[in-house]
């Protein structure tokens, strides 16, 4: 029986991933801060094809990676998969971000995954997998990304390094970069018209993304079906990051006029040299 450690496992993408792993017969060590939510996860997954253990801890704690990995080995005898999913949302642009907020975002979404990877490498079986949860905001310049974009960009670089350094040992490392999906972290922001239009109106899909969509990608990258995939960042975003799509509503919206700027090159801004 394979064993996975999943951070941020009590809700959203982490919970959907834990459920998918358990249903596939993979034991799960779920890591999150909220003991009550973890208990609910255990109850929901009880009786499944594989067992579940939980650890209520802040992933920023110095001993969190060691405790999670040790729990996997002590309870289930091994560790085959690590999913670094824990994250936070609602970032601010750089000029609005103080040092405390910067440190918090980097600690949760870059320093913590780095340390969980380092600890997991100590015992990870071969073949084994690491999947880091990045973001489309690390692929494109997302508005208001700030420290969030910086942390997720670091995750992408960490992923490619791990793939290069440890791929020859049988440990594959990949990342998924979700767009905005329906999770407790994002649903409240859908009441913001600007946020909704920036995401929903620019995604060429007939529905909003679900946590299960991302979990499917994580599961695939953790499975033998992806055995020849290493060092990749897979966008799971309905096409948001790779298209110039706009809904009919957005295309027909009233636009402000654009005044040509002749001040630099003697031709309107954006006009080619041709």
């Amino acid at each position: 029986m394979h064993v996975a450690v999943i951070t941020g496992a009590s809700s959203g993408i982490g919970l959907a991933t834990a459920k998918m792993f358990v249903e596939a017969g993979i034991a799960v060590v779920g890591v999150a801060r909220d003991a009550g939510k973890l208990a609910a996860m255990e109850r929901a997954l009880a009786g499944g094809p594989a067992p579940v253990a939980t650890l209520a801890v802040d992933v920023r704690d110095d001993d969190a990676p060691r405790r999670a990995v040790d729990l996997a080995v002590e309870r289930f005898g091994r560790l085959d998969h690590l999913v670094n999913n824990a994250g936070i949302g609602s970032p601010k642009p750089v000029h609005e971000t103080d040092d405390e907020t910067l440190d918090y975002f980097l600690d949760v979404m870059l320093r913590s995954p780095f340390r969980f990877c380092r600890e997991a490498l100590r015992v990870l079986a071969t073949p084994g997998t690491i999947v880091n949860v990045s973001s489309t905001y690390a692929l494109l310049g997302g508005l208001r990304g700030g420290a969030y974009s910086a942390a997720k960009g670091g995750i992408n670089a960490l992923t490619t390094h791990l793939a290069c350094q440890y791929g020859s040992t049988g440990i594959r490392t990949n990342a998924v970069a979700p767009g905005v999906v329906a999770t407790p972290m994002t649903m409240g922001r859908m009441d913001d018209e600007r946020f909704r239009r920036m995401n929903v109106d620019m995604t060429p899909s007939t529905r909003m993304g679900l946590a299960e969509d991302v979990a499917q990608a994580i599961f695939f990258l953790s499975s033998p079906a992806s055995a020849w995939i290493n060092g990749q960042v897979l966008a799971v975003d309905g096409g948001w990051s790779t298209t110039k799509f706009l809904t009919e509503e957005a295309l027909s919206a009233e636009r402000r006029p654009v005044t040509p700027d002749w001040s630099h090159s003697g031709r309107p801004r954006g006009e080619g040299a041709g």
Side-chain angles (χ1 to χ4, degrees):
M1 180 177 64
H2 279 201
V3 179
V5 167
I6 302 173
T7 68
S10 64
S11 64
I13 293 169
L15 179 58
T17 303
K19 181 179 179 182
M20 200 163 291
F21 275 47
V22 167
E23 290 176 348
I26 299 172
V28 167
V29 173
V31 180
R33 287 183 299 180
D34 193 317
K37 289 183 178 179
L38 285 172
M41 183 193 82
E42 281 195 272
R43 291 192 297 270
L45 300 182
V52 175
T54 60
L55 175 66
V57 67
D58 190 322
V59 294
R60 297 175 298 164
D61 290 351
D62 287 345
D63 62 349
R66 178 186 56 78
R67 290 176 63 189
V69 169
D70 285 353
L71 178 58
V73 174
E74 292 166 5
R75 185 72 61 88
F76 303 122
R78 59 187 293 152
L79 177 62
D80 303 89
H81 312 287
L82 170 65
V83 178
N84 279 310
N85 167 71
I88 48 179
S90 300
K92 297 178 180 180
V94 170
H95 71 280
E96 296 179 12
T97 303
D98 58 27
D99 284 351
E100 182 180 2
T101 302
L102 172 63
D103 290 345
Y104 181 47
F105 273 72
L106 294 177
D107 278 354
V108 172
M109 294 184 291
L110 183 55
R111 185 174 185 272
S112 166
F114 185 105
R115 298 180 69 248
F116 268 84
C117 289
R118 184 176 64 193
E119 191 67 30
L121 287 167
R122 181 173 56 85
V123 300
L124 203 60
T126 53
T129 66
I130 298 171
V131 178
N132 297 316
V133 177
S134 179
S135 170
T136 51
Y137 271 39
L139 303 177
L140 296 175
L143 285 171
R144 301 187 65 80
Y148 180 89
S149 295
K152 293 300 189 179
I155 279 291
N156 290 354
L158 175 63
T159 296
T160 55
H161 160 70
L162 291 168
C164 180
Q165 185 75 46
Y166 305 104
S168 61
T169 71
I171 297 171
R172 295 185 297 110
T173 307
N174 293 286
V176 296
V180 173
V181 299
T183 69
M185 191 171 77
T186 62
M187 286 308 293
R189 299 198 67 193
M190 283 300 166
D191 294 334
D192 182 337
E193 180 66 12
R194 292 181 63 192
F195 182 84
R196 187 194 69 78
R197 295 191 68 180
M198 185 173 66
N199 291 284
V200 176
D201 287 0
M202 296 179 67
T203 302
S205 176
T206 57
R207 63 171 174 83
M208 188 172 179
L210 304 174
E212 288 75 14
D213 294 317
V214 185
Q216 287 276 9
I218 293 171
F219 181 79
F220 167 69
L221 292 173
S222 304
S223 75
S226 62
W228 193 232
I229 300 176
N230 191 27
Q232 301 301 307
V233 180
L234 174 62
V236 185
D237 65 355
W240 182 86
S241 63
T242 52
T243 67
K244 294 290 186 179
F245 177 81
L246 286 174
T247 61
E248 286 299 323
E249 178 186 9
L251 284 169
S252 61
E254 183 178 346
R255 278 167 171 61
R256 65 180 182 179
V258 177
T259 302
D261 180 358
W262 296 76
S263 60
H264 297 292
S265 64
R267 54 181 176 262
R269 288 182 61 185
E271 184 177 320

